[in-house]
Amino acid sequence: MDLDDLPDVAIHECIHYLQEKHDKKGRIIRLGLCDYTDKTLPGVGLNEAAVQLMAAKASGEPCENVKYFDINLKTNTPMYYPLECALVSQMAYIVGEDVLFDSTLHSNSNFEAQYISLTSEEQFFKIQRNIDLLIEAQSKLENLYSSLEDVGLEENFVQKILKEIEETKTRVKKIFVVTQRLILTSYFDNAIQLVFAPKAIENYRNKLYLFKNLVCYTENDNFYTEYYRTKMEELEEKYEYKPSDVVTPLDLVLYKEGFFTKLFGKLKLLFRFNRGYERIQG
């Protein structure tokens, strides 16, 4: 391959090779964020997504808007683990991309430890498990679709498989939405308890506001919008915070009724379930 034009999938596999950690007998005990000493391979989804984010960044892949299972997202990895990458990007925003990439490449626990310190052990492992479940559900979908490729299938069998496909798609969407909300609330619910000074309040507001750039939307899902509004009201009530203390564009969101809702209402898109993804035209 031309080293000046390596596809991200090749870089992905090279990273896997570099991140292998072996015991004295040469057996793999860890692969980046995945624990190979546990036969269930916890963290396999987290690791695959982190590796793909690194590969896409290294190859300079552009971002595009896509639809997956009624979920609208912007990603530079539309063909490989887009849902998992979206969630891990949100986690990286909280802890730091450098910490994520360091743990991914060098197979250490720094990312896990720092994420837990900012949220909780229970929440981290719940998120990790959910990302693994996403991998499993999507793998199941591929198997279900493959089972329909044989000719001469009985109608009852086909209908049974089609029903299972729709149920699995719904499960993928549910796991994703629940996990995205957990990532959002696990950090910002905890972080607000540590906010006291005006500068800390400003930093909190900015970090929560900019999280919107990573949020993936489904039809009629206003969770982030309402969560942001609730947190701004909580700050105002708890710390008697006034807009004159720190003047930023975000004051419009909190103190002009209806602005925030109208702004994010424009970002909502209507989309449908499909097997793969669709680029959004326009």
Side-chain angles (χ1 to χ4, degrees), residues 16 19 21 28-38 40-48 103-104 107-108 112 128 132:
H16 275 324
Q19 65 179 182
K21 182 175 286 188
I28 298 178
I29 58 175
R30 188 176 177 112
L31 193 69
L33 305 170
C34 180
D35 181 8
Y36 266 61
T37 63
D38 187 328
T40 65
L41 300 181
V44 64
L46 185 61
N47 187 62
E48 287 294 341
S103 288
T104 302
S107 297
N108 62 54
E112 175 185 321
Q128 176 183 267
D132 286 346

Side-chain angles (χ1 to χ4, degrees), residues 93-216:
Y93 174 76
I94 291 170
V95 176
E97 194 177 70
D98 56 335
V99 181
L100 172 67
F101 289 170
D102 175 72
S103 288
T104 302
L105 190 60
H106 298 108
S107 297
N108 62 54
S109 300
N110 293 340
F111 176 76
E112 175 185 321
Q114 290 199 38
Y115 198 91
I116 289 174
S117 72
L118 295 173
T119 55
S120 74
E121 188 174 87
E122 178 184 356
Q123 290 165 331
F124 173 81
F125 287 114
K126 176 64 174 177
I127 293 168
Q128 176 183 267
R129 176 57 181 159
N130 283 357
I131 295 175
D132 286 346
L133 290 175
L134 274 180
I135 293 279
E136 293 175 11
Q138 290 173 94
S139 177
K140 179 181 179 181
L141 270 178
E142 289 303 315
N143 291 334
L144 289 171
Y145 279 118
S146 295
S147 68
L148 292 176
E149 293 175 358
D150 295 332
V151 295
L153 297 175
E154 294 184 0
E155 181 65 21
N156 289 341
F157 175 80
V158 172
Q159 291 303 317
K160 178 183 177 181
I161 296 300
L162 290 176
K163 180 181 179 181
E164 194 168 355
I165 285 174
E166 291 306 312
E167 290 174 347
T168 305
K169 285 183 176 181
T170 301
R171 175 171 166 75
V172 167
K173 178 182 176 182
K174 181 178 180 180
I175 293 172
F176 181 90
V177 170
V178 167
T179 308
Q180 177 173 252
R181 292 180 180 182
L182 180 57
I183 292 172
L184 174 66
T185 59
S186 63
Y187 172 71
F188 287 102
D189 281 356
N190 185 58
I192 200 170
Q193 304 303 319
L194 306 176
V195 173
F196 298 101
K199 183 61 177 177
I201 294 174
E202 179 187 2
N203 290 339
Y204 179 92
R205 295 179 66 197
N206 276 306
K207 190 160 189 175
L208 178 54
Y209 177 73
L210 294 176
F211 192 89
K212 72 180 177 63
N213 296 324
L214 301 171
V215 175
C216 305

Side-chain angles (χ1 to χ4, degrees), residues 211-278:
F211 192 89
K212 72 180 177 63
N213 296 324
L214 301 171
V215 175
C216 305
Y217 292 94
T218 59
E219 186 178 353
N220 299 321
D221 181 9
N222 297 318
F223 184 83
Y224 170 78
T225 303
E226 295 305 318
Y227 182 81
Y228 181 90
R229 188 185 301 279
T230 298
K231 288 304 172 188
M232 294 304 100
E233 292 173 352
E234 186 176 337
L235 284 178
E236 183 180 25
E237 179 181 350
K238 188 172 183 179
Y239 302 106
E240 298 181 347
Y241 187 60
K242 297 179 177 60
S244 57
D245 294 336
V246 179
V247 179
T248 74
L250 300 184
D251 292 323
L252 293 173
V253 177
L254 178 58
Y255 295 100
K256 288 193 175 182
E257 183 67 27
F259 176 84
F260 188 78
T261 302
K262 292 178 182 178
L263 175 63
F264 282 91
K266 295 179 181 179
L267 299 179
K268 294 180 182 177
L269 297 172
L270 297 179
F271 33 77
R272 58 182 174 77
F273 289 112
N274 56 59
R275 176 178 178 180
Y277 78 96
E278 296 180 10

